Amino acid sequence: MHANVKQNVVPLITPGLKVACSQCNLRELCLPFGLDDVDMARLDNLIGGGRKLKRGQHLYRAGDPFESIFAVRSGFFKTDVLTEDGRDQVTGFQMAGEILGMDGISTELHTCNAVALEDSEVCLIPFTELELLSSEIHSLQHHLHKVMSREIVRDHGVMMLLGTMRAEERLAAFLLNLSQRFSARGYSHTEFHLRMTREEIGSYLGLKLETVSRAFSRFQDEGLISVQQKHVRIIDLPRIKSLLAPPDGRIA
Amino acid sequence: MHANVKQNVVPLITPGLKVACSQCNLRELCLPFGLDDVDMARLDNLIGGGRKLKRGQHLYRAGDPFESIFAVRSGFFKTDVLTEDGRDQVTGFQMAGEILGMDGISTELHTCNAVALEDSEVCLIPFTELELLSSEIHSLQHHLHKVMSREIVRDHGVMMLLGTMRAEERLAAFLLNLSQRFSARGYSHTEFHLRMTREEIGSYLGLKLETVSRAFSRFQDEGLISVQQKHVRIIDLPRIKSLLAPPDGRIA
DNA sequence: TTCTCGCATTGACACAGATCAAAGGGGCGC
DNA sequence: GCGCCCCTTTGATCTGTGTCAATGCGAGAA
């Protein structure tokens, strides 16, 4: 919180950190997806470098001028929006291979905050240059559109969650989502470390932290998970999935 | 390319309906924004035609193959997602000049339903061809990205609404949003006809229809609006705006 | 190591909004 | 133009989650 940052606005770029897309084990999840070697080299060429962030550090803040999007190389982020009247809504959690910052394209200003929840590294992708290159490489252009579209679809899922689900359903959906994403990155899908606090989970799920905590405890009591602070182990995945069916079992 | 299968899911295109972008009074709101005459003619050229929909008709359904995005020429739409377990969430209401269908880019399938809430007309914009053209016209490419980004930002706003606001705040935000959008289209910002039911408003706002109805009544009792069925007149806009500040008046 | 502060857990109670129920009223199809 | 049915309104009650409060645990700092 009281980070003794020398410059807290200007991104500190670490050119030495740069890793070629072609050497990156995330390339199948990230922007280079589907590019051949030649085109990947061209993408490599425009990536401005990397940036390391300590836990708690902001990658960008609402109001910052938009210049780049970011690919998470390692670590874990949250994005949140806050209104002038003090409301705070976590809009997402991002892990390796996911893209951050697309909210800034529309107004040339970032509209949310992105904060590292653990020590993290990102790749900077200057957006103007990305547009230029994507007009030359059709598969890159199309993949960029898919990434943006996926973000829209993801947001619709969150709206569904916030609009229609009860507290335990929300938490179940959240855990299943994390499980699936960790799994896609080669980590265990039954055991993982939460990088965010109960309050941040609550903000994301539209619940108060106490409600989140109670739901965790209830899940543990029922033998669905074992949870100790931020460590979670999924015990009964099928039954967690079944929580997402409505209580009366009605079908569409 | 034209493996034309005739079944009832195929959009019925009405070529005669086509209106040139350059002649369209929505061009400043819509995709052609910022294009010069020559480029606008090229965009005109790819727009496949128009389609008319009757009230209640689907423009597309979840699962339909994605081929085009749509620009609303006239009328009013809702989009909604429904899960196999019967949940239904309205994700947005779209009016003239707004773009529909970008959810389908990521999987090549539409992920939500789009329904006309009154007799409406749309322009079909074949997406593959739009990508091709946008790689040649930089301002078109950039504007498309802005439109997609704006959708992401809008969704964040809805997440904020669903995650942090109380019923009357949600309705106030909804009315202000409609007011602003009608106003941007040259209609009165204080008097308009709601095209959707209380249930659809409720689904969008994460509330039950009775709660929406009660909130309307309360607003009327307090002299903020006058409402009779679907007709709404904004009486005290400043006080409606002030509802969006939190009750305790705390500041960030 | 020990201290400390932020984070998490748990309980008691309050309340906003959901649910259940009933009665018009108006728009749309015929 | 008429009639039906869906939409809307309003009331009474229930309940899930918020709020307030107190205690406890553990990670990180010195």
Side-chain angles (χ1 to χ4, degrees), chain A residues 150-167:
Chain A
R150 195 185 303 152
E151 179 72 15
I152 292 171
V153 174
R154 189 194 70 84
D155 291 345
H156 289 175
V158 177
M159 287 164 63
M160 164 75 72
L161 179 147
L162 291 170
T164 73
M165 293 187 187
R166 314 153 67 328

Side-chain angles (χ1 to χ4, degrees), chain B residues 16 53 63 72 87 112 122 129 146 182 199 208 217 228 232 252:
Chain B
L53 293 102
V72 181
R87 283 176 223 277
C112 62
V122 297
E129 298 165 45
K146 283 195 173 188
F182 279 124
E199 185 169 21
K208 292 296 167 184
S217 299
Q228 193 177 8
V232 173

Side-chain angles (χ1 to χ4, degrees), chain A residues 55 165-168 170 206-208 210-211 214 228-229:
Chain A
R55 194 165 98 100
M165 293 187 187
R166 314 153 67 328
E168 295 192 0
R170 295 183 198 196
L207 302 168
K208 291 296 166 184
E210 295 94 330
T211 305
R214 278 186 245 270
Q228 192 175 14
Q229 302 287 123

